[in-house]
Amino acid sequence: MPTISDVASLAGLSRATVSRVINNHPYVTKEKKELVMDAMKQLGYFPNTSAQNLRKQKTDTIAVLVPRLTNPFFTHLVESLEDRAAEYGLQILICNTKYDKKRELEFLYLLKTKQVDGIIMTSIENNWSQIEEITMNGPIVLCNEYITGANVSSVRLNQLEGGYIGTHHLIQKGHTKIGYCWGGVLSGLSYDRFEGYRKALAGQGLSINENWLFEGVFSIDDGRRVLNEISEMYDRPTALFTGSDEVAAGIISEAKKKGLHVPGDIAVIGFDDQPIAEVIEPALTTIRQPISEIGKKTMEVMIELLSKKNQSDEHQIYELPLQLIARESS
């Protein structure tokens, strides 16, 4: 395998000059650049990009923190992020936090140790006070998720509006006993979405029944569990606003097993508008989040930050629209 010394010998130049050419040093003559490039071509020599990146403290890698890869929302989001990154010659490192605070901090440490150039967070498990110090080591962008006090750029949706329009739709359908499913994470997203639910109820003089609030609900199995809990209640909700299409699908599936009609016995609204929303019967009413656009915009914000030497004042909020998609489940 040819070395940099072989290139220098064939080109008739010093190793230092060859190194400057490889690293695009501005003060090298055109003639010497051509000599080095010709020698590299003849010898079949390729620079050690890992060593180059180490010297530049640049990895061309962006870490993407996701809470649960089995959730199709995050799968599609990561795919969108990766597609956009590839257009700029960047790669992504997928970090599955599993909603674990310790794992999240370990992944964030990758930025502090310069193992990645930036971090995109699609969920937040720790208090921002524990994360803030790490923002001094490179750009962090919040994607979809957000939290009060965060001093970084974010790409988000109006989750308060999402919670409101979903709940208001159920009220318009004649429901006054509306339950709510959520993950239980005290982030800006979950708080605003719940506030939208509360606001829609209050606007019609309806109060929240705490027995109809279901916490720690993320998956299809969680949705099945919620439906089973409801079936044991004397005073049941007639409609459910859920935090994801997966949860809603689990509720509908279990309701059918128990001989309940959707939406006659219980109406259901999801969130995201994943492919499962159109496949399940009855088709799922949901709040559409533009997943591809979220990923694309987030990566563009990250790339813009990486191109700037000083990111301290670049804290911008980019908000994308939500849309109610009415189908048969409501």
Side-chain angles (χ1 to χ4, degrees):
M1 182 181 294
T3 66
I4 193 170
S5 296
D6 296 327
V7 175
S9 178
L10 183 59
L13 300 168
S14 68
R15 287 185 56 184
T17 300
V18 173
S19 179
R20 283 195 288 270
V21 172
I22 291 173
N23 289 287
N24 294 314
H25 197 281
Y27 304 114
V28 181
T29 65
K30 181 180 178 181
E31 291 74 21
K32 288 181 179 178
K33 287 182 182 178
E34 290 176 351
L35 286 170
V36 171
M37 298 305 292
D38 288 343
M40 288 170 59
K41 186 176 180 180
Q42 290 181 49
L43 293 169
Y45 173 82
F46 296 96
N48 185 332
T49 54
S50 295
Q52 286 180 282
N53 287 337
L54 184 60
R55 285 191 294 272
K56 295 184 290 184
Q57 289 191 312
K58 188 171 181 292
T59 66
D60 291 330
T61 302
I62 308 300
V64 179
L65 276 56
V66 297
R68 191 165 67 89
L69 276 172
T70 53
N71 184 334
F73 172 83
F74 293 109
T75 304
H76 296 152
L77 182 60
V78 165
E79 185 174 352
S80 176
L81 289 165
E82 188 171 36
D83 287 345
R84 197 58 171 161
E87 294 177 19
Y88 289 85
L90 302 174
Q91 60 184 351
I92 67 170
L93 176 66
I94 303 171
C95 304
N96 191 7
T97 67
K98 300 182 180 180
Y99 295 103
D100 184 86
K101 292 182 178 182
K102 185 172 181 290
R103 285 174 65 88
E104 180 180 80
L105 291 176
E106 288 172 352
F107 289 133
L108 286 167
Y109 194 69
L110 294 172
L111 187 61
K112 198 167 186 177
T113 55
K114 302 299 182 182
Q115 296 180 66
V116 297
D117 296 334
I119 288 180
I120 291 172
M121 301 181 69
T122 68
S123 71
I124 304 169
E125 313 309 325
N126 289 278
N127 293 326
W128 190 254
S129 59
Q130 295 174 271
I131 301 173
E132 188 168 14
E133 178 193 357
I134 300 172
T135 64
M136 303 301 294
N137 297 281
I140 293 178
V141 178
L142 302 183
C143 174
N144 191 50
E145 186 64 90
Y146 52 92
I147 190 169
T148 302
N151 57 334
V152 296
S153 293
S154 64
V155 178
R156 65 175 73 169
L157 301 105
N158 189 332
Q159 299 293 340
L160 191 150
E161 180 188 14
Y164 180 86
I165 62 176
T167 308
H168 185 66
H169 172 76
L170 292 172
I171 293 171
Q172 286 184 316
K173 291 292 183 178
H175 295 280
T176 58
K177 301 168 70 173
I178 303 171
Y180 184 83
C181 302
W182 66 304
V185 180
L186 294 174
S187 66
L189 180 153
S190 60
Y191 177 84
D192 283 354
R193 195 178 291 178
F194 180 80
E195 182 62 17
Y197 162 78
R198 186 205 61 77
K199 181 180 177 182
L201 292 179
Q204 298 298 316
L206 302 174
S207 59
I208 293 174
N209 186 327
E210 293 191 3
N211 293 325
W212 302 339
L213 301 181
F214 303 93
E215 190 173 317
V217 182
F218 300 99
S219 66
I220 290 175
D221 285 341
D222 291 332
R224 292 192 178 105
R225 170 175 59 80
V226 167
L227 196 282
N228 282 314
E229 288 183 27
I230 288 173
S231 66
E232 298 295 323
M233 293 180 177
Y234 175 76
D235 185 20
R236 308 176 185 175
T238 62
L240 285 172
F241 184 103
T242 74
S244 80
D245 294 341
E246 275 192 288
V247 172
I251 290 169
I252 292 173
S253 174
E254 196 67 15
K256 290 166 72 175
K257 284 183 182 179
K258 291 186 174 297
L260 298 176
H261 181 266
V262 179
D265 294 313
I266 186 160
V268 184
I269 285 187
F271 215 102
D272 294 338
D273 197 27
Q274 298 173 15
I276 195 174
E278 293 185 275
V279 174
I280 195 166
E281 294 182 6
L284 180 64
T285 295
T286 188
I287 308 297
R288 175 179 290 166
Q289 299 198 94
I291 303 175
S292 294
E293 288 80 358
I294 296 170
K296 178 181 176 181
K297 183 62 179 179
T298 301
M299 188 56 69
E300 288 174 351
V301 172
M302 172 59 71
I303 290 166
E304 184 178 354
L305 289 173
L306 288 172
S307 69
K308 297 179 179 179
K309 292 182 179 180
N310 181 12
Q311 291 119 26
S312 60
D313 298 323
E314 299 296 326
H315 308 150
Q316 298 189 46
I317 297 173
Y318 303 87
E319 193 168 281
L320 301 178
L322 288 164
Q323 181 183 4
L324 174 72
I325 306 298
R327 298 191 179 101
E328 289 77 30
S329 71
S330 60

